[in-house]
Amino acid sequence: MRLQDLTPPTTPAARAALDLATACHTPALLHHVVRSWLWAEAFALVEDRRGVDHELLWTAAVLHDIGLVAAYDNVTLSYEEAGGQVAVALTAGAGWAAERRQRALDVVVRHNWPSVDPGLDVEGHLLEVATGLDISGSRPEALPADFVREVLVAHPRLKLAEEFGAAVTDQAERKPTTAARRLVDGGLLDKLAHHPFER
């Protein structure tokens, strides 16, 4: 498995999602969302997942934290729900059918579930395990070590621990009934500080 073997889709929705993420995210958060897509595609290979909608997976991965950005932060919705609604709007503009736009929302929302059954949502499962790896350090040995090193060189973590920790803590304080509160109460800041990829 090599980084060069994983090529992002070049559809209008895929390009627009990356353009939006690039315009809105800090470098650390932008590297995080791209790494999350890379880990998700790698898990698809390692777990031999079939029938993956790669355009959907890319679009959801690149937009999954856009709800943390001030311009898209919603006063009541969780950040993953707010980000999913951005994905719905963007994919509507790209001509996706209503059912597929709903899938974009589902995948973004489910990335914050404690786990996602791949039989229910294979793209949601892949993004959940990918973000679990990148944020919480879950299953750090699951992917080939050479591939992990290659990804981290191309997409370094920078100040991800500090920036993501602060953003989700803020969400947890303002929206205590959302997944952000569960993440913070579950030791998010400690997991970020002691992440195996931070060494």
Side-chain angles (χ1 to χ4, degrees):
M1 187 183 301
R2 297 294 306 275
L3 179 59
Q4 66 188 25
D5 298 328
L6 300 178
T7 305
T10 58
T11 62
R15 292 196 306 270
L18 182 60
D19 286 348
L20 183 61
T22 301
C24 294
H25 279 316
T26 66
L29 266 294
L30 182 61
H31 282 305
H32 160 64
V33 299
V34 174
R35 274 196 316 274
S36 295
W37 170 73
L38 288 164
W39 303 145
E41 290 286 0
F43 275 113
L45 293 172
V46 167
E47 297 177 357
D48 193 27
R49 300 293 176 190
R50 306 295 175 88
V52 175
D53 183 333
H54 296 283
E55 181 190 21
L56 170 63
L57 182 58
W58 164 266
T59 302
V62 170
L63 295 177
H64 80 268
D65 280 338
I66 202 77
L68 293 173
V69 174
Y72 298 107
D73 186 9
N74 185 287
V75 68
T76 57
L77 296 180
S78 66
Y79 75 87
E80 66 275 15
E81 175 76 22
Q85 295 296 341
V86 173
V88 168
L90 183 142
T91 54
W96 287 21
E99 182 177 348
R100 197 158 179 244
R101 298 196 301 266
Q102 178 63 45
R103 290 288 300 119
L105 173 62
D106 291 342
V107 174
V108 174
V109 168
R110 290 171 181 166
H111 95 271
N112 255 357
W113 285 13
S115 66
V116 180
D117 182 348
L120 169 70
D121 181 350
V122 67
E123 294 84 11
H125 163 76
L126 292 170
L127 188 55
E128 182 271 315
V129 295
T131 56
L133 170 61
D134 207 60
I135 294 300
S136 300
S138 303
R139 301 174 61 188
E141 308 300 327
L143 302 179
D146 288 347
F147 173 74
V148 170
R149 283 192 291 271
E150 192 177 13
V151 170
L152 292 173
V153 168
H155 301 282
R157 292 178 69 83
L158 305 176
K159 295 183 177 181
L160 177 66
E162 175 186 336
E163 292 180 13
F164 187 80
V168 176
T169 298
D170 173 66
Q171 291 277 325
E173 291 171 353
R174 291 188 290 113
K175 306 172 192 178
T177 62
T178 67
R181 181 80 267 163
R182 174 179 53 79
L183 293 173
V184 172
D185 291 348
L188 173 69
L189 298 183
D190 186 64
K191 290 173 183 175
L192 284 165
H194 298 96
H195 197 289
F197 296 166
E198 293 285 345
R199 297 174 192 152

